[in-house]
Amino acid sequence: MLEQLESLYQQALTNLQAAPDTAALEDWYRDTLGRKGQVQLLSRQVGQLEPAQRPAFGQRINSVKNELEAAYQQRAAALKMAELEARLAAEQLDVTLPGRQQFHGRLHPASQTLRQIYRIWGDMGFQIYRSRDVETDEYNFELLNIPQHHPARDMWDTFHTTAPGIILRTHTSPGQIHAMKEYFPEPIRVILPGMCYRYEQITARSEIQFHQVEGLAVGKNINMTHLKGTLTDFARRMFGAERKVRFRANYFPFTEPSAEMDVECFLCEGSGCHLCKQTGWLEILGCGMVHPTVLRNGGYDPAVYAGFAFGMGPERIAMLKYGIEDIRYFWSNDLRFLEQF
Ligand code: DAH
């Protein structure tokens, strides 16, 4: 009978390992260790043994029960794991698993600044006018009253292409001519945003590519007062209602008179610090009344029409606003920088 027990034990172990799923496992348990299972049936036959043989048989049958019970637990755990894995592979979706964290993207700081600028000018009735990045020498310079060999060309170091007269725009101002030619004789209120390119040494303060936002208003009876009022309002909306501004006379070939607008330094509020180089003011943009030659080149008779224009650099504005010390951060794709905005 002991032999019978041993062979039952071996067979049970073999069957256990062969059980393909938890359902088969439950059958195995019922047939082997259950109340009417084989081990139980065998243990009832203990009375058929010689009394001397009974204790050894009893001991062995108990240890067989324990070992089979332990083997069953192990197999059950393994089968459960395997079934979970199979389900994960087959169903792809396990709603009981914790989700993976989603990382939200965000707008580049230059785009954020651009959108702020768009919103303010949009509120004032200025539409966005898109103009090309690849320009002709004619539009980038000549029609803006900067003839060949004029010393003012030194203000814009230029990328030339292998095609004669085709260049990358050094500023957004050529868009003024495109807009005027398209809109004439309607009045114009547009901003012209876009990337500009200059053949410069890259340093903390100068990049070979950067955005500009140009502005242009053309109509009858437009004068310097409109320019100053509009730009002052822009500065208040962009930098805060209390922010003071000032205009300084300057020179640009495409405007007459020309000026630069400064805002009171954000950092020291005008008392003088390293950001404003002890002047209390930060230069924000160039502007002026559109030069009669430029109006004429756009198709507008300067005896009838007048206009004002301006140009600003959003990266420069963002640098001043957020205390960014190096313009190269904008295009170096460093998440440590980008994630701060
Ligand atoms: N185009 C000039 C530059 O890149 C900026 C500028 C100055 C634009 C005065 C204007 C303006 O429209 O009126 O330096």
Side-chain angles (χ1 to χ4, degrees), residues 8 10 18 39 49 52 91 101 109 119 123 126 129 133 135 158 201 204 218 220 233 245 252 282 284 286 301 337 341:
L8 168 64
Q10 292 307 328
V39 178
L49 287 172
E91 296 174 11
Q101 194 178 341
R119 197 174 314 123
D123 283 348
F126 283 71
Y129 188 89
D133 288 32
E135 265 299 355
T158 309
Q201 178 154 16
V218 177
K220 292 174 181 165
D233 194 39
V245 298
F252 295 105
L282 299 168
I284 290 300
D301 179 357
F337 170 72
F341 298 92

Side-chain angles (χ1 to χ4, degrees), residues 212-272:
Q212 280 192 347
V213 178
E214 189 90 8
L216 176 68
V218 177
K220 292 174 181 165
N221 302 318
I222 287 187
N223 58 49
M224 192 83 182
T225 314
H226 300 121
L227 176 152
K228 290 181 78 171
T230 312
L231 285 174
T232 303
D233 194 39
F234 165 76
R236 294 209 174 115
R237 295 190 199 207
M238 187 76 193
F239 305 113
E242 303 304 312
R243 200 61 57 193
K244 292 196 188 90
V245 298
R246 72 172 184 188
F247 292 84
R248 274 181 297 105
N250 198 358
Y251 169 74
F252 295 105
F254 29 83
T255 42
E256 181 59 34
S258 304
E260 277 183 320
M261 188 177 81
D262 297 341
V263 296
E264 194 182 33
C265 179
F266 318 125
L267 196 60
C268 64
E269 312 229 307
S271 60

Side-chain angles (χ1 to χ4, degrees), residues 129-148:
Y129 188 89
R130 299 273 170 195
S131 179
R132 52 182 60 175
D133 288 32
V134 179
E135 265 299 355
T136 58
D137 184 279
E138 187 191 11
Y139 274 79
N140 195 82
F141 293 118
E142 276 169 60
L143 295 174
L144 291 170
N145 198 28
I146 317 165
Q148 292 273 358

Side-chain angles (χ1 to χ4, degrees), residues 156 170-171 173 176 198 212 214-215 252 254-255 286-288 309-311:
W156 298 277
T170 58
H171 50 178
S173 304
Q176 290 189 27
R198 289 191 196 168
Q212 280 192 347
E214 189 90 8
F252 295 105
F254 29 83
T255 42
C287 58
F310 56 86

Side-chain angles (χ1 to χ4, degrees), residues 83-224:
E83 277 170 20
L84 177 66
E85 266 160 30
R87 240 181 57 209
L88 281 178
E91 296 174 11
Q92 300 290 333
L93 178 70
D94 178 356
V95 293
T96 67
L97 282 177
R100 267 181 233 113
Q101 194 178 341
Q102 297 285 328
F103 291 98
H104 292 281
R106 66 189 78 201
L107 288 176
H108 190 282
S111 303
Q112 290 184 29
T113 311
L114 277 168
R115 290 194 181 186
Q116 255 176 312
I117 295 171
Y118 297 163
R119 197 174 314 123
I120 294 169
W121 289 106
D123 283 348
M124 293 199 259
F126 283 71
Q127 300 203 326
I128 294 180
Y129 188 89
R130 299 273 170 195
S131 179
R132 52 182 60 175
D133 288 32
V134 179
E135 265 299 355
T136 58
D137 184 279
E138 187 191 11
Y139 274 79
N140 195 82
F141 293 118
E142 276 169 60
L143 295 174
L144 291 170
N145 198 28
I146 317 165
Q148 292 273 358
H149 311 299
H150 192 280
R153 289 214 175 188
D154 290 351
M155 292 165 77
W156 298 277
D157 299 305
T158 309
F159 279 113
H160 296 266
T161 68
T162 46
I166 307 294
I167 62 168
L168 298 186
R169 67 173 168 196
T170 58
H171 50 178
T172 44
S173 304
Q176 290 189 27
I177 305 287
H178 290 293
M180 284 192 277
K181 287 191 169 180
E182 184 176 330
Y183 280 111
F184 179 81
E186 300 297 321
I188 299 176
R189 260 193 270 175
V190 290
I191 54 168
L192 309 103
M195 193 65 91
C196 302
Y197 309 86
R198 289 191 196 168
Y199 181 56
E200 294 197 46
Q201 178 154 16
I202 299 173
T203 68
R205 297 175 55 87
S206 62
E207 255 289 4
I208 59 170
Q209 64 169 77
F210 52 90
H211 288 99
Q212 280 192 347
V213 178
E214 189 90 8
L216 176 68
V218 177
K220 292 174 181 165
N221 302 318
I222 287 187
N223 58 49
M224 192 83 182

